[in-house]
Amino acid sequence: DGEGGQGSGAGRFLPLCVPSTSGAELFKTAAEALAHDASNNNFDVRRIVKELRVGFYDCMKLVNYVRESVAAGVPVTEASLVDGTDKAWMDDKYLIPFMENDSLLFELDGALGLDAESGDAEDPPAQSDSESTRVRALEEENEALRRAVQELRESLKVAGTFIDQADAPADRESASRLKNVRIDKNYFDSYAGFGIHREMLSDRPRMVAYRSAIELNASDLARGKDVLDVGCGTGILSMIAARAGARAVCAVDGSPAIAEAARAIVEENSLGSVVQVRGGLIEKEGTIPEGYKCDVIISEWMGYCLLYESMLFSVLHARDKYLRPGGCVMPDVARIHVAGCGEASVGSGFWDDVEGFSMRTVGKKLLERELRSQAHVVDVSGAWVNTSDAVVTEFDLCKVTADEVRSFSSEFELTQATGQGKIHALVVWFDTLFSARHCKTEEVVLTTSPREDKTHWAQTLLVLPEPVSALDREEALLCRMTFQQHSEDYRGLQIVLEYGTSRAKDGTYPHAAQFELV
């Protein structure tokens, strides 16, 4: 191994233009790593920083942007950064390190010769009085943010970590952006391992539905068509589309690690000439080439209770930006269903009789502490359902808008047959359809109903504050259910349930409960 090589055990700095530490040459100092980029990859960070006249704050964003792009296989050139063609690195989300414990960030100021006080790469040229006044005004306006950045800088050096809640920028807009960046990072990190992908690939109703829809309707959905796979994961749907005759498939995933794995899987199956894998957010400029258009969008975007994770917004963005007129989104219809459940669904009956002793107090406490106010993702048996079903809402995914998904309400009624007992909870599930509108050969339905085969989505259980007495034949449980994005975690859900066997004249219900899924 070379002097700075990984095998020597002395190096810990990875050059920017190297995608991962696996088998890579590591250098003893940050300056040596950056010099390697300049001499071997024609990427001189020192020159970029000098030309852009940026300080420590922006240098961190630049480093993390290059790290992410290189890992995703997206080319970044010195020229495009210097001339301003590539401005994506300016996004505040790049304040968060792309690579865990990136040693280069710890020594960035020393390696680039940044001024510890001003954060500038070099002293700026003389300015006119008007320019100086404008600069001073901007500096005063952003003083709180600069102080926060300095705190983050020191925290990074000392702890090797970044952005703690206490270190968030002081202005609300930046704090909100950074919070969403953290949420996205946690979300995509959760899909970076292969355990979750094995679970999804092992979900037979899921896999059979997608494969059947694409292959049975190949002339409508694949053959000779340009297909966009949003959230491709391991690339399974992209490869099925390619096998069904797609002209070209663009597969996109927000997790760079999984995109890299998908790229290897595609090559392993000799489909690289048809399927191109791109790592990055579908909403991010540059993830997909400018001018790209497709005939079909396929995506397995559904989360718990259909909308948890908010991935549907990415699909709608892709639809509005990349789908050709007359194209389709698959699946193209989604429905949310609801029904009532008996006592068995909440499991409290176990505590009624334990070896002849009543432990109802335990069951009551469990209900109060663990079930109520939280929506629970569980496998619900069809035998526990003790009311009629109702459709809460239906989305036409070729037309629905983001605002219509972000918040909506629906009123419905549930009825019972005689002797079905008290209603202790409501169970929510969803169906997605590959409808006959676009699947001319055979319509396919993927359901997560408690009466059908289990899926990894299970069902969502909403436990009522108090059970509703069994309904008479003439009675119905009247409900209004409101879904909205969670106020603190935009990938989460808040569900408000209003209900009763009657409504007041002003339309209000006698009972209400709120549930969260985060």
Side-chain angles (χ1 to χ4, degrees), residues 341-354 359-368 370-372 376 378-381 384-385 422-426 461-464 467:
C341 287
E343 185 178 21
S345 65
V346 299
S348 61
F350 170 83
W351 301 100
D352 291 351
D353 184 350
V354 180
M359 296 189 181
R360 289 188 178 90
T361 54
V362 175
K364 183 177 180 180
K365 287 183 178 180
L366 285 174
L367 283 174
E368 291 174 349
E370 298 182 13
L371 293 181
R372 291 179 184 141
H376 293 268
V378 293
D379 285 314
V380 173
S381 169
W384 300 345
V385 176
K422 293 181 179 181
I423 303 169
H424 286 254
L426 297 189
L461 194 68
L462 312 177
V463 179
L464 302 178

Side-chain angles (χ1 to χ4, degrees), residues 232-235 239 251 257-267 277:
C232 68
T234 57
M239 293 189 293
I258 286 300
E260 185 177 350
R263 197 174 293 114
I265 292 170
V266 167
E267 292 299 330
V277 180

Side-chain angles (χ1 to χ4, degrees), residues 174-373:
S174 293
S176 177
R177 286 201 304 269
L178 289 173
K179 180 177 72 173
N180 287 344
V181 167
R182 285 196 294 271
I183 291 170
D184 283 345
K185 186 175 187 300
N186 291 337
Y187 170 67
F188 289 114
D189 283 351
S190 72
Y191 283 91
F194 294 105
I196 181 63
H197 292 280
R198 177 169 181 168
E199 181 181 15
M200 293 188 291
L201 293 169
S202 301
D203 185 334
R204 295 314 300 159
R206 170 188 184 268
M207 292 309 306
V208 169
Y210 275 88
R211 178 172 51 78
S212 298
I214 295 170
E215 293 182 346
L216 295 176
N217 299 280
S219 60
D220 301 310
L221 303 183
R223 197 167 300 133
K225 299 186 182 297
D226 294 314
V227 178
L228 173 60
D229 182 357
V230 180
C232 68
T234 57
I236 185 66
L237 301 185
S238 296
M239 293 189 293
I240 291 174
R243 187 171 63 187
R247 189 187 74 84
V249 181
C250 180
V252 182
D253 200 275
S255 169
I258 286 300
E260 185 177 350
R263 197 174 293 114
I265 292 170
V266 167
E267 292 299 330
E268 181 181 348
N269 288 275
S270 303
L271 291 171
S273 62
V274 178
V275 180
Q276 182 184 44
V277 180
R278 305 186 74 87
L281 299 177
I282 193 79
E283 297 88 352
K284 177 184 170 184
E285 187 176 341
T287 298
I288 292 182
E290 191 68 32
Y292 173 82
K293 293 294 178 181
C294 63
D295 304 298
V296 178
I297 294 175
I298 57 172
S299 180
E300 194 278 80
W301 54 267
M302 300 83 74
Y304 301 132
C305 206
L306 184 68
L307 298 174
Y308 179 68
E309 295 181 348
S310 292
M311 188 180 160
L312 178 56
F313 296 114
S314 297
V315 176
L316 300 184
H317 172 87
R319 179 200 67 188
D320 296 342
K321 186 168 185 178
Y322 301 117
L323 191 64
R324 292 188 178 110
C328 64
V329 178
M330 285 286 111
D332 61 323
V333 177
R335 296 183 185 132
I336 298 177
H337 300 260
V338 66
C341 287
E343 185 178 21
S345 65
V346 299
S348 61
F350 170 83
W351 301 100
D352 291 351
D353 184 350
V354 180
E355 298 298 329
F357 298 97
S358 172
M359 296 189 181
R360 289 188 178 90
T361 54
V362 175
K364 183 177 180 180
K365 287 183 178 180
L366 285 174
L367 283 174
E368 291 174 349
R369 295 177 183 176
E370 298 182 13
L371 293 181
R372 291 179 184 141
S373 82

Side-chain angles (χ1 to χ4, degrees), residues 59-174:
C59 285
M60 286 191 293
K61 292 195 288 186
L62 183 63
V63 167
N64 291 318
Y65 169 69
V66 175
R67 290 273 194 228
E68 179 186 271
S69 300
V70 170
V74 178
V76 179
T77 66
E78 181 179 325
S80 65
L81 292 170
V82 170
D83 66 18
T85 305
D86 186 352
K87 297 182 179 179
W89 66 272
M90 296 179 179
D91 195 312
D92 281 351
K93 74 177 185 177
Y94 293 112
L95 284 169
I96 294 180
F98 173 76
M99 193 172 77
E100 187 176 358
N101 296 325
D102 189 347
S103 297
L104 187 60
L105 290 176
F106 303 164
E107 305 295 336
L108 195 58
D109 52 349
L112 295 176
L114 300 176
D115 187 299
E117 294 300 322
S118 69
D120 293 333
E122 60 178 29
D123 292 333
Q127 298 171 320
S128 67
D129 291 343
S130 60
E131 288 176 331
S132 297
T133 301
R134 185 168 64 253
V135 169
R136 283 198 300 273
L138 288 172
E139 288 177 345
E140 290 173 3
E141 183 180 340
N142 291 295
E143 182 180 356
L145 181 57
R146 289 177 180 272
R147 283 200 304 266
V149 170
Q150 183 62 28
E151 291 174 9
L152 290 173
R153 176 182 179 181
E154 295 304 320
S155 174
L156 182 63
K157 286 186 176 182
V158 173
T161 59
F162 205 41
I163 296 190
D164 187 78
Q165 185 64 35
D167 293 324
D171 68 279
R172 292 183 179 180
E173 184 179 354
S174 293

